[in-house]
Amino acid sequence: MKFSKQTMIAIGAIAIIGALVFSFLPFSPGISFALGVITAVVAINHLENTQPSINNSDASQSSKTLYVGNLPYRANENEVKKLFAEHGEVFAVRLMKDKRTGKRRGFGFVVMNSNDADTAIEQLNNKEYGQRTLKVREANEPKSSDSTETE
């Protein structure tokens, strides 16, 4: 069984408390401490088993990044998040801005639950939004600068 640092500290604290409790019984200090450690391990295992476990599907939720093009320049992250949230769970929205002027460039990226991303693409691609026709598709993986292709 692998314990985190925090769990090890908790085991040590409970072991010391257990040793103090068992020291009132007619045992030697070594036996009291050993009984305290055993009590701590049993208590930690019991606590881990009784706590509600995180649903594996939630813990390992996969996501997809969608490219959203032809956005109105006045659109902000909250509006885009609200639009995409109608079609599934949205984790993040990033709208690109010009480095020099700080003005929006009319495109961005939306990170969504993988299960909902395809639905959002179907529903929002070529949809009219803010008097512009959105272009929505799965984003390409970022190109790394060290991988150059030669033909």
Side-chain angles (χ1 to χ4, degrees):
M1 181 180 288
K2 205 172 194 180
F3 293 115
S4 67
K5 184 177 180 182
Q6 194 173 25
T7 305
M8 292 298 291
I9 292 171
I11 289 174
I14 294 173
I16 291 170
I17 292 169
L20 290 174
V21 169
F22 285 113
S23 68
F24 292 112
L25 299 175
F27 297 124
S28 70
I31 293 175
S32 296
F33 186 75
L35 289 173
V37 170
I38 293 169
T39 305
V41 171
V42 169
I44 295 291
N45 282 334
H46 179 71
L47 289 174
E48 287 177 354
N49 291 336
T50 59
Q51 290 178 345
S53 62
I54 296 172
N55 190 349
N56 286 342
S57 64
D58 291 342
S60 63
Q61 257 183 354
S62 60
S63 63
K64 281 188 182 178
T65 303
L66 305 180
Y67 165 82
V68 185
N70 207 27
L71 281 166
Y73 293 108
R74 67 183 178 277
N76 63 39
E77 282 85 357
N78 288 333
E79 292 171 353
V80 174
K81 183 174 184 173
K82 192 175 185 180
L83 174 69
F84 278 80
E86 294 173 8
H87 304 284
E89 185 177 6
V90 177
F91 299 125
V93 175
R94 259 185 354 258
L95 300 183
M96 299 297 108
K97 293 181 180 180
D98 185 89
K99 288 181 183 178
R100 287 181 286 147
T101 64
K103 293 182 181 178
R104 290 196 173 84
R105 298 183 60 197
F107 73 95
F109 300 93
V110 176
V111 181
M112 293 188 73
N113 185 327
S114 292
N115 300 331
D116 303 327
D118 295 329
T119 305
I121 291 170
E122 285 178 32
Q123 297 295 317
L124 296 174
N125 189 36
N126 293 320
K127 179 185 178 186
E128 192 78 18
Y129 178 71
Q131 299 175 341
R132 301 194 66 168
T133 304
L134 293 179
K135 300 297 177 194
V136 182
R137 66 175 186 263
E138 189 170 349
N140 296 333
E141 290 295 317
K143 295 181 173 81
S144 60
S145 60
D146 60 1
S147 64
T148 56
E149 294 182 19
T150 57
E151 292 181 13

